[in-house]
Amino acid sequence: MKRLTIIIIFMLSFSSVYSQLGKTEYLKGEAARNKENWIEALKWLKISAEKGYPKGMNSLAYMYENGEGMDQNYPEAMKWYRKSIQKGNTDAMVSLGIIYQNSDLYEEAENCFKMSAEKGNINGMDLLGYFYFTREKYKEALPWLKKAAEKDQPTALYHLGEMYEYGYGGIQIDETKALEYYKKAASKGDENAIKRLKTN
């Protein structure tokens, strides 16, 4: 029994160390990105990603997607986002979903947003809610917008305000509640909410 306990502790320790492989390089890469030292950033993030560190993969993908220090390379970006997703990175799920949405691959976009939202990613919740909102699937949109709004996501707060102002999805119109959502969204810097309040 004692030997089994030692083996389990060893395996857990090994797993913890293994999961951190590439973290140091990731931090160096992010520090270089913050200084817009793209060559150094790319070098360190490539090492981090190749060691299997999820955040390193995600940041490397972002560099390829946005052309930081290079030409944009969507195939390479998508490759690294997918690898990061395989490691459970929810930010990568959101980013890949946005690429799919911008490429009119809506089913794939929905899947990515839903996957991230169900894992608790606030941006995933917001984007999934908005995805349904723009398709007038208001009953599907409402719970995800509410979840994001509970975490003070500005755009979710604004769209909830719209739902209560206009009664989308059969919701009872409640201008008081709509105004509360608009004010809260505006206080978080949402431009649409700020403009909406100015028209009242």
Side-chain angles (χ1 to χ4, degrees), residues 101-119:
Q101 182 165 260
N102 291 340
S103 303
D104 297 334
L105 298 170
Y106 299 117
E107 185 177 347
E108 290 87 344
E110 179 185 1
N111 289 337
C112 285
F113 295 151
K114 191 171 186 180
M115 187 165 45
S116 64
E118 289 175 344
K119 291 181 179 293

Side-chain angles (χ1 to χ4, degrees), residues 147-190:
K147 283 177 181 288
E150 286 168 5
K151 297 178 182 290
D152 289 336
Q153 220 291 342
T155 52
L157 290 163
Y158 172 74
H159 293 306
L160 277 176
E162 287 187 303
M163 291 191 75
Y164 281 104
E165 181 177 8
Y166 300 109
Y168 292 145
I171 292 176
Q172 184 174 350
I173 291 175
D174 188 331
E175 292 185 355
T176 301
K177 187 172 282 190
L179 187 60
E180 287 175 3
Y181 278 121
Y182 287 143
K183 285 181 177 179
K184 196 166 185 180
S187 73
K188 302 293 178 183
D190 186 88

Side-chain angles (χ1 to χ4, degrees), residues 3-18:
R3 182 175 176 177
L4 179 61
T5 302
I6 292 170
I7 292 171
I8 291 171
I9 291 171
F10 173 78
M11 289 178 69
L12 290 172
S13 299
F14 178 80
S15 176
S16 177
V17 170
Y18 182 77

